[in-house]
Amino acid sequence: MDNLSDALEKLKIASTDSATDSVESCLDCLLKALANNSTEASMKIHEMGVLPLFPTLLHPQSSCTPKVANIIAEVAKNEFMRSPCVEAGLIPPLVQLLNSTDQEVLLQTGRALGNICYDSHEGRSAVDLAGGAQIVAGHIKSLSQNTEPANEKLLTVFCGMLMNYSNDNDSLQAQLISMGVIPTLVRLLGIHSHNTALTEMCLIAFGNLAELESSKEQFASTNIAEELVHLFQKQMEHEKKEMIFEVLAPLAENDVIKLQLVEAGLVECLLEVVAQTVDGEREEDIAQLKTASDLMVLLLLGDESMQKLFEGGKGSVFQRVLSWVPSHNHQLQLAGALAIANFARNDGNCIHMVDTGIVQKLLELLDRHVEEGNVTVQHAALSALRNLAIPVVNKSKMLSAGVADVVLKFLQSEMPPVQFKLLGTLRMLIDTQAEAADHLGTNGKLVERLVEWCEAKDHAGVMGESNRLLSALIRHSKSKEVVRTVIQGGGVKHLVTMATSEHMIMQNEALVALGLIAALDLVAAEKDLVGAGLVSVLHKLLSDERSAPEIKYNSMILICAVMGSEPLHKEVQSLEFINIVSKLRAHENKTVSHQASLTEQRLTAQS
């Protein structure tokens, strides 16, 4: 350290005299000290005020310049030195040096700027202000074809510098994207795929940039999919595959890139990874299996990529993914069920899958997860069944296969995501299926649970689906027994509340169900309808100009239906419905105006 202090003192003197030889020997001493103990040497350099001397030494024509830039690069490896480097005014002369044609100068300057930018807001701002990123991006573009080792080393440093410059900073990443860095980096990956260090640097840069939505369009216009798949096929090491996965995941969120990845053969790579790791017990096998199967499911979220892999239900990929469902591995069961849910996104696929026995596989999977089951697998399998139940022709087939009975086994689940999918599946199954709605609607345990979930205020989705299923049981069964079960279970008040929902479809479903309750068993429901304030809810719906025509229509139908009840009739009279209804006779919707005339006659006759 004494030698270092001497060297620093000499450097102060020599730098003013421009004595090149003595400056060079002082710089050699500094580099030696930094190599020996970087932290201590850096502190000494800072304390003795040597940093402000460096700008004058960073002269493009000086033979000392590469060494000075090297010292700055070494010093800036220490976090506490990055701001002092900026404050000492080192950034503008370093950026100027980027215009040099000397390879060693460029290399050391790139290192220095990259290290100053690492995790340093001040460093990045100063480089941004001096326009350093543009020059570096230009160099990468012009040097990209050259495969000489020295040039590849320089490219690696420059890519690293841009990465440190923009990491975790959306506006600087957006700046690089607008400079056209993405196509250049993709080209680099293709030309230099043999160079591990440069390839890794490109991958890390892609990982950073791919998080930004605005990057996806640029990536989609390159051959990134082919390059990444080609690179993936060559990798043997787990870490390298993981690096590529980290780039693939954000890119695969874009539908155009999903299709490109499928066409480039990524799916085959993923299936191979699954086959190699499914029985593995090492942590890295488990991690790779999860990443590969998750990515597979993600690729199926794109309509075109999904349909390409479905191949009319004959696709080998589709068949392989189906074989995951009966697997002993939870991760594969999950991915298999999610994949089916993704394939089941149009009627043609759903009908084909139900006809080829997929429902049975899903039911067997659910049966394995009833007791102490895996919640994510339950949720995924129920999602798949819900989607498969959408086409009308599938409903009766799925009911005959016993889907409702298996789904009901999860009625005791305390997990909101499972509750939500269970409700959605049952609602899809009974749509237009009177017999099934009647059967389920007279199941006291089910109705009791629905009424309980109608109060799940912490889980809006579960609450909404419970109300909708309660209404659906009545609407599709049109059964007095179902109405009675719902009344006894305490469901009426929830349907009245549902009529005030912000979603028109739910308002309408509630009004139709309440109309059927009033028509089928008004006497039994009377007390609950009064207690829930039905009449004032209807008054509000009819008075509100924003209410849709069907809401107004069904509200008037319901008013007529409750006139047979004395207490409800009295409420209708006291709120002077006749005034609102007579105004609705002039409504632009013919169905509404016609119903208003009928309702007015009814109100007048019974006043």
Side-chain angles (χ1 to χ4, degrees):
M1 274 301 143
D2 289 343
N3 287 351
L4 177 61
S5 301
D6 291 347
L8 292 168
E9 285 296 350
K10 279 180 192 162
L11 184 60
K12 281 183 173 180
I13 299 159
S15 64
T16 53
D17 298 349
S18 305
T20 309
D21 291 348
S22 52
V23 168
E24 287 254 13
S25 63
C26 294
L27 295 175
D28 287 337
C29 183
L30 261 63
L31 281 169
K32 209 170 185 180
L34 283 163
N36 195 26
N37 188 331
S38 176
T39 310
E40 213 172 305
S42 296
M43 284 174 90
K44 200 83 176 157
I45 289 167
H46 184 35
E47 283 164 10
M48 290 187 67
V50 169
L51 286 179
L53 304 177
F54 287 160
T56 53
L57 295 172
L58 289 169
H59 197 276
Q61 270 73 49
S62 165
S63 59
C64 300
T65 300
K67 279 184 185 166
V68 178
N70 187 1
I71 288 167
I72 297 169
E74 291 302 319
V75 162
K77 284 180 178 175
N78 299 286
E79 191 182 347
F80 65 89
M81 289 299 285
R82 288 170 202 150
S83 290
C85 283
V86 176
E87 287 154 15
L90 302 185
I91 300 295
L94 282 169
V95 169
Q96 279 305 307
L97 288 177
L98 290 172
N99 297 309
S100 168
T101 51
D102 183 302
Q103 198 146 20
E104 185 60 21
V105 170
L106 288 173
L107 186 76
Q108 298 303 343
T109 304
R111 285 184 62 235
L113 288 169
N115 289 354
I116 292 171
C117 285
Y118 186 79
D119 251 356
S120 163
H121 174 68
E122 293 84 1
R124 291 169 182 179
S125 298
V127 172
D128 182 20
L129 201 64
Q134 285 88 335
I135 303 171
V136 170
H139 276 309
I140 295 174
K141 196 171 184 178
S142 62
L143 298 170
S144 61
Q145 304 289 334
N146 184 336
T147 54
E148 287 171 18
N151 185 65
E152 288 190 326
K153 193 176 177 186
L154 183 56
L155 282 169
T156 306
V157 165
F158 278 160
C159 287
M161 182 254 155
L162 288 186
M163 201 180 64
N164 287 355
Y165 170 71
S166 65
N167 190 28
D168 281 340
N169 186 310
D170 286 0
S171 65
L172 294 180
Q173 287 177 350
Q175 183 195 79
L176 293 184
I177 291 165
S178 65
M179 284 178 206
V181 161
I182 288 172
T184 305
L185 291 177
V186 175
R187 265 198 308 279
L188 276 192
L189 193 64
I191 297 165
H192 304 272
S193 59
H194 57 275
N195 185 304
T196 309
L198 184 49
T199 301
E200 283 184 15
M201 211 49 94
C202 287
L203 288 173
I204 297 167
F206 291 147
N208 289 345
L209 297 172
E211 296 294 339
L212 223 63
E213 209 39 56
S214 58
S215 73
K216 307 277 169 62
E217 226 166 282
Q218 271 205 28
F219 274 119
S221 67
T222 69
N223 63 336
I224 183 78
E226 286 170 44
E227 294 297 359
L228 288 174
V229 171
H230 178 64
L231 194 63
F232 190 88
Q233 286 163 340
K234 295 198 313 190
Q235 300 310 323
M236 300 312 291
E237 295 167 47
H238 166 69
E239 282 77 15
K240 296 282 165 57
K241 285 183 179 174
E242 276 299 313
M243 278 184 88
I244 301 170
F245 274 142
E246 278 169 25
V247 180
L248 287 168
L251 286 179
E253 285 167 13
N254 176 282
D255 282 1
V256 178
I257 300 174
K258 280 187 182 78
L259 188 60
Q260 292 172 351
L261 289 168
V262 167
E263 288 172 342
L266 178 62
V267 173
E268 288 70 19
C269 296
L270 297 178
L271 289 172
E272 204 175 308
V273 171
V274 168
Q276 286 166 356
T277 56
V278 65
D279 296 317
E281 287 171 12
R282 293 177 308 169
E283 255 179 60
E284 63 186 58
D285 287 337
I286 296 163
Q288 266 196 53
L289 177 71
K290 177 170 170 34
T291 311
S293 53
D294 284 350
L295 192 49
M296 185 77 194
V297 172
L298 183 58
L299 291 176
L300 294 173
L301 278 172
D303 287 337
E304 282 188 76
S305 49
M306 176 272 287
Q307 214 51 44
K308 189 176 176 68
L309 294 171
F310 189 68
E311 289 180 58
K314 309 269 189 299
S316 62
V317 172
F318 172 64
Q319 298 301 334
R320 287 276 289 278
V321 169
L322 282 193
S323 72
W324 294 355
V325 177
S327 157
H328 58 84
N329 183 298
H330 280 187
Q331 175 57 36
L332 274 197
Q333 293 170 2
L334 171 65
L338 287 173
I340 292 172
N342 286 346
F343 280 123
R345 284 211 314 279
N346 62 52
D347 283 7
N349 291 7
C350 288
I351 292 164
H352 176 86
M353 287 196 276
V354 168
D355 288 345
T356 50
I358 281 170
V359 169
Q360 209 45 53
K361 283 190 161 104
L362 290 168
L363 294 182
E364 284 163 12
L365 177 62
L366 277 171
D367 265 330
R368 290 160 70 181
H369 285 276
V370 175
E371 301 297 325
E372 303 293 313
N374 181 304
V375 174
T376 50
V377 175
Q378 292 171 1
H379 180 261
L382 289 167
S383 295
L385 287 171
R386 181 199 173 281
N387 288 4
L388 291 169
I390 293 172
V392 176
V393 293
N394 281 358
K395 297 179 195 295
S396 57
K397 292 173 186 171
M398 290 175 70
L399 286 162
S400 304
V403 172
D405 299 331
V406 174
V407 170
L408 285 173
K409 291 178 182 178
F410 295 90
L411 209 50
Q412 295 316 308
S413 171
E414 293 302 328
M415 307 306 281
V418 174
Q419 296 166 354
F420 180 72
K421 285 298 176 189
L422 170 153
L423 293 163
T425 307
L426 290 177
R427 188 165 63 78
M428 279 302 154
L429 279 173
I430 63 162
D431 192 14
T432 70
Q433 305 297 305
E435 201 181 316
D438 198 351
H439 177 66
L440 288 172
T442 50
N443 178 332
K445 279 206 170 107
L446 170 62
V447 172
E448 195 181 307
R449 194 73 162 131
L450 292 183
V451 170
E452 187 186 322
W453 286 339
C454 282
E455 292 168 2
K457 291 192 168 51
D458 293 344
H459 302 288
V462 172
M463 195 162 86
E465 277 292 345
S466 302
N467 278 302
R468 292 190 75 186
L469 181 54
L470 209 51
S471 156
L473 292 169
I474 295 167
R475 287 183 298 110
H476 297 301
S477 70
K478 298 181 177 60
S479 145
K480 189 167 183 171
E481 288 307 310
V482 172
V483 164
R484 196 156 281 175
T485 309
V486 171
I487 295 169
Q488 285 166 355
V492 173
K493 63 179 180 184
H494 295 299
L495 291 171
V496 174
T497 305
M498 182 182 169
T500 65
S501 164
E502 60 199 32
H503 304 291
M504 190 197 83
I505 192 164
M506 286 177 69
Q507 286 183 327
N508 217 27
E509 287 172 0
L511 292 169
V512 173
L514 288 165
L516 285 162
I517 289 174
L520 293 167
D521 205 343
L522 182 57
V523 176
E526 182 181 80
K527 192 177 166 197
D528 289 344
L529 293 171
V530 172
L534 171 68
V535 175
S536 62
V537 166
L538 295 175
H539 190 273
K540 217 175 263 171
L541 291 173
L542 285 172
S543 313
D544 190 345
E545 285 176 13
R546 293 165 303 175
S547 291
E550 48 267 59
I551 300 298
K552 291 194 185 316
Y553 173 79
N554 282 319
S555 296
M556 288 188 282
I557 293 275
L558 191 45
I559 289 164
C560 296
V562 300
M563 294 294 276
S565 150
E566 196 183 331
L568 290 166
H569 186 178
K570 275 184 184 161
E571 282 189 49
V572 171
Q573 282 180 317
S574 71
L575 283 171
E576 296 179 357
F577 268 81
I578 197 116
N579 299 342
I580 310 167
V581 171
S582 60
K583 280 181 196 162
L584 289 173
R585 275 174 34 211
H587 198 280
E588 59 186 2
N589 184 295
K590 291 281 176 284
T591 316
V592 172
S593 58
H594 178 62
Q595 185 56 43
S597 300
L598 294 176
T599 307
E600 189 182 24
Q601 286 168 23
R602 185 78 192 269
L603 289 169
T604 313
Q606 291 196 278
S607 61

